[in-house]
Amino acid sequence: MTRIFETDLRDGPSTRAIHAGQRPGAVSGAIMTPLYLTSTYVHEEFGVHRGYEYARGKNPTREALERNVAALEGATHGFAFGSGMGCLTSIMMLFRSGDHIIVGENVYGGTYRLFDKLLQQFGLTFTYVDTRDPQRIADAVTPQTRALMLETPTNPLMRLTDLAAAANIAKRAGALTIVDNTFATPIFQRPLELGADIVWHSSTKYLNGHSDMIGGIAVTSDEELAPRLQFILNAAGAVPGPFDSWLCLRGTKTLAIRMKAHDSNGRQIGHWLAERLGHEQVLYTGLESHPQHALAARQMSGFGGMISIELGTRERVKTFLDRVRLFSLAESLGGVESLISHPASMTHASVEPERRAALGITEGLVRLSVGVEDADDLLGDLEHALQGL
Ligand SMILES: *Cc1c(COP(=O)(O)O)cnc(C)c1O
């Protein structure tokens, strides 16, 4: 369990991103956290060690990352994992057979797959609801409900959940609120301040930001949950290697400035696309025409670079994707480079076609992860691709 340095909570988000959780190396004063490539630690004498015994439980490079992200989220404890899904699997070990969990119906495809194909076999039960309407969450509560699992904004439909209202319902039901904050990042949204109990990330995405590692991280300020999460981390062992932790820590230093750049490009491209294609064809939380724009503006301090567009048919999608040059056709998101994907055949291929259709993930839907290149170049690329339609 990595507890933050309390002093790190005094600083603003950009300062925290660069400094929180890191102290100059004890041996040399190195300003950058060293990469601790070790599996074990030598005891000073029989019965005496420095708090480190075996690296599954603790690694100083990983600890610096855990403190850094915890401080960014305004949490007191952080727990890093080898992937976002490894992180969620570990969080789910807080529950036991018979427990009921309410889940946003439009969560990440891999989250749905983990719950539906694996965890259900262990006796956990899940109810998927459209959490845009908090009343539907309240209606789904049963005496067995132990958690509410949310993602906002969602992927790829950019739907929002009112976190304060949802967490309030969960609290009254005696259930934990768990939020996947991968899309918004703590720079734009801090769910713990709105009542969530656990926040987690695929650090593969914006936190690392350079598309060069896979990782997950969970944070909490709950003094009762923190030791349980540390126990699971060590007992189940889905931990990240030190080099991936180091890469992510290097990434979080620029998180605040990257998010500002993603947001600025996202706004320009979102508004341009809405003019070019019509507002109904563009899903972007920063557009006044987004049905939940008011909630987005209240709950988030930026809209980021995630935009989905409806092109109508699979054929038109193919033409469009064949013509883009700067947007690379790939799954994933949140890196400095712009990516483009077709959710129905890529990120959401594991969701049954009927379920996809019911959610609104159509064959014509394309998702953009707008990077931090020059906006004019990205706009030129999109215009050239759209001219082929
Ligand atoms: C990618 C992603 C995940 C899964 O994380 P991995 O690091 O790929 O295991 C979970 N949630 C969201 C929103 C994601 O985008």
Side-chain angles (χ1 to χ4, degrees):
M1 169 168 56
T2 303
R3 175 184 285 279
I4 54 157
F5 300 127
E6 304 287 340
T7 49
D8 286 336
L9 292 180
R10 281 190 209 135
D11 301 313
S14 302
T15 310
R16 284 187 204 183
I18 294 165
H19 295 288
Q22 295 152 80
R23 297 293 180 265
V27 176
S28 64
I31 191 158
M32 287 302 145
T33 303
L35 187 48
Y36 285 90
L37 296 168
T38 191
S39 59
T40 193
Y41 309 91
V42 180
H43 291 218
E44 286 180 350
E45 58 180 85
F46 181 62
V48 181
H49 61 74
R50 303 187 197 180
Y52 300 94
E53 294 174 86
Y54 183 65
R56 177 167 9 85
K58 263 188 182 188
N59 173 289
T61 313
R62 192 207 311 166
E63 279 183 309
L65 171 66
E66 291 170 331
R67 287 199 180 99
N68 182 260
V69 176
L72 283 169
E73 289 282 5
T76 53
H77 299 86
F79 310 86
F81 296 92
S83 70
M85 295 328 294
C87 175
L88 180 59
T89 303
S90 300
I91 292 170
M92 295 310 289
M93 290 193 184
L94 290 167
F95 305 105
R96 59 182 65 217
S97 177
D99 286 353
H100 173 242
I101 291 131
I102 301 173
V103 189
E105 65 175 3
N106 181 213
V107 290
Y108 176 70
T111 295
Y112 172 70
R113 179 174 57 194
L114 173 69
F115 290 176
D116 189 58
K117 302 286 188 294
L118 289 179
L119 296 184
Q120 217 172 222
Q121 297 178 41
F122 294 88
L124 293 180
T125 62
F126 301 93
T127 302
Y128 299 90
V129 302
D130 181 350
T131 55
R132 282 177 295 182
D133 178 2
Q135 186 55 43
R136 295 194 188 203
I137 301 172
D139 292 345
V141 170
T142 75
Q144 279 70 47
T145 303
R146 298 288 173 268
L148 170 62
M149 166 63 217
L150 299 170
E151 200 175 308
T152 175
T154 63
N155 168 30
L157 297 170
M158 312 298 158
R159 292 178 180 164
L160 272 70
T161 300
D162 183 332
L163 286 172
N168 195 31
I169 292 165
K171 192 158 271 136
R172 271 185 284 141
L176 297 176
T177 300
I178 302 170
V179 179
D180 178 346
N181 203 28
T182 300
F183 261 43
T185 83
I187 301 303
F188 291 148
Q189 175 172 278
R190 283 182 293 282
L192 294 180
E193 293 173 3
L194 301 171
D197 300 288
I198 298 172
V199 168
W200 67 281
H201 286 263
S202 166
S203 49
T204 314
K205 316 294 169 54
Y206 285 111
L207 291 186
N208 171 61
H210 295 75
S211 307
D212 52 13
M213 51 75 81
I214 294 274
I217 193 156
V219 302
T220 186
S221 293
D222 187 309
E223 296 297 332
E224 191 258 329
L225 285 174
R228 291 173 65 199
L229 285 169
Q230 175 61 26
F231 181 86
I232 295 169
L233 176 144
N234 186 50
V239 297
F243 189 50
D244 283 347
S245 303
W246 187 90
L247 282 171
C248 190
L249 186 60
R250 181 182 176 135
T252 54
K253 286 186 192 301
T254 55
L255 181 66
I257 54 165
R258 279 189 286 110
M259 292 314 292
K260 280 179 203 156
H262 284 293
D263 187 60
S264 162
N265 279 356
R267 284 176 206 243
Q268 286 185 64
I269 291 172
H271 284 94
W272 181 85
L273 283 167
E275 289 301 313
R276 182 73 172 71
L277 298 171
H279 279 71
E280 316 74 61
Q281 314 308 322
V282 182
L283 304 174
Y284 175 56
T285 54
L287 287 176
E288 293 71 26
S289 55
H290 185 286
Q292 295 173 292
H293 178 69
L295 173 61
R298 186 167 85 235
Q299 179 165 281
M300 305 182 348
S301 56
F303 305 112
M306 299 307 300
I307 303 173
S308 292
I309 54 177
E310 177 57 57
L311 293 178
T313 63
R314 201 182 167 100
E315 290 63 45
R316 281 164 63 84
V317 168
K318 177 167 170 32
T319 308
F320 183 72
L321 295 180
D322 284 346
R323 287 176 66 93
V324 282
R325 175 181 67 93
L326 286 174
F327 281 87
S328 301
L329 177 59
E331 293 196 13
S332 200
L333 62 108
V336 288
E337 66 291 323
S338 291
L339 298 182
I340 194 160
S341 71
H342 181 238
S345 65
M346 297 168 70
T347 49
H348 288 67
S350 64
V351 177
E352 301 82 4
E354 314 77 57
R355 196 179 144 76
R356 271 204 310 266
L359 286 172
I361 301 172
T362 62
E363 287 293 323
L365 194 72
V366 167
R367 190 195 72 187
L368 312 180
S369 170
V370 176
V372 300
E373 299 94 339
D374 292 305
D376 286 345
D377 294 333
L378 297 177
L379 289 171
D381 196 31
L382 294 173
E383 174 57 30
H384 170 77
L386 286 172
Q387 278 168 7
L389 299 186

